[in-house]
Amino acid sequence: MHPIPEEESKDGHPLWLVLDEVMDPQNLGALLRSAYFLGADGVIVCSKNSAGLTPSVSKASAGAMELYQVYSVSNLMQFLNWSKELGWQVIGSALGENSVPVSSTKLTKPTLLVMGNEGRGLRTNVLRECDVLVQVQAIVAVMTKAGCEEEGEADEGRGREGGREGGREAKLGELEKE
């Protein structure tokens, strides 16, 4: 294993996306496209039980696969442990009681953001290597902006009550007017 480049990104410390057994080629392509658009410095994929870099992935990535640094590692846990020894911060994306909002996380050193499999998320051994777990709360922010601060309204906005008519579409429509 070779160390990943530590060049400073345009926004400070490097940030790499690490994918733990993402199996669907369309999902891998979408993640590559999103990482490229959002300014990640590169992507690392687990070589076992992951989608390969195929023409389908390239198409789903809208060409980002060809413009981007994408590396593969055979032992993800070993790679994460080794990266931590070299001073990298490992952040895992997971829902749970131990997760903090991603907005409260500071990137004070080179960072690896680890995302898990489509069905089961991060594997237990990968979770153990993470310094902190984060969750993205975009839907919560959208619903708060739309004025759904009470529990009942928030549930309705997610489509749990009231069906489509009074749910999310109406709340998002209100946002567009502002």
Side-chain angles (χ1 to χ4, degrees):
M1 263 188 268
H2 300 287
I4 57 178
E6 269 197 62
E7 296 110 23
E8 293 258 328
S9 72
K10 56 186 170 250
D11 298 324
H13 299 287
L15 172 68
W16 283 65
L17 179 63
V18 179
L19 302 174
D20 181 24
E21 296 187 345
V22 173
M23 294 188 222
D24 183 85
Q26 300 298 315
N27 289 344
L28 178 57
L31 287 164
L32 291 173
R33 181 180 68 238
S34 297
Y36 184 79
F37 174 76
L38 294 171
D41 295 292
V43 176
I44 298 165
V45 296
C46 182
S47 63
K48 297 177 190 170
N49 300 321
S50 295
L53 298 179
T54 63
S56 296
V57 173
S58 178
K59 184 176 180 181
S61 77
M65 184 176 93
E66 284 79 15
L67 301 172
Y68 218 29
Q69 299 181 62
V70 181
Y71 295 94
S72 175
V73 295
S74 58
N75 188 325
L76 187 56
M77 280 70 69
Q78 214 173 39
F79 172 78
L80 294 174
N81 187 9
W82 182 65
S83 296
K84 287 168 61 170
E85 289 174 9
L86 293 174
W88 286 71
Q89 169 178 245
V90 178
I91 297 176
S93 173
L95 295 175
E97 294 175 15
N98 298 336
S99 300
V100 298
V102 70
S103 59
S104 70
T105 306
K106 304 292 185 227
L107 303 181
T108 58
K109 55 185 174 178
T111 302
L112 300 172
L113 174 61
V114 187
M115 293 183 71
N117 175 283
E118 296 95 333
R120 65 183 180 277
L122 294 174
R123 293 177 287 162
T124 303
N125 289 339
V126 174
L127 277 170
R128 288 184 188 132
E129 292 296 331
C130 296
D131 298 317
V132 65
L133 298 176
V134 297
Q135 59 182 321
V136 179
Q137 296 189 321
I139 197 70
V140 174
V142 167
M143 297 185 71
T144 301
K145 246 184 170 177
C148 302
E149 293 174 6
E150 294 180 25
E151 186 67 23
E153 291 181 54
D155 287 343
E156 182 180 317
R158 279 185 285 229
R160 291 185 186 170
E161 298 173 13
R164 301 190 88 152
E165 295 80 34
R168 193 155 137 193
E169 287 77 18
K171 303 297 183 206
L172 293 176
E174 292 171 15
L175 278 179
E176 292 171 4
K177 294 177 190 173
E178 293 178 357

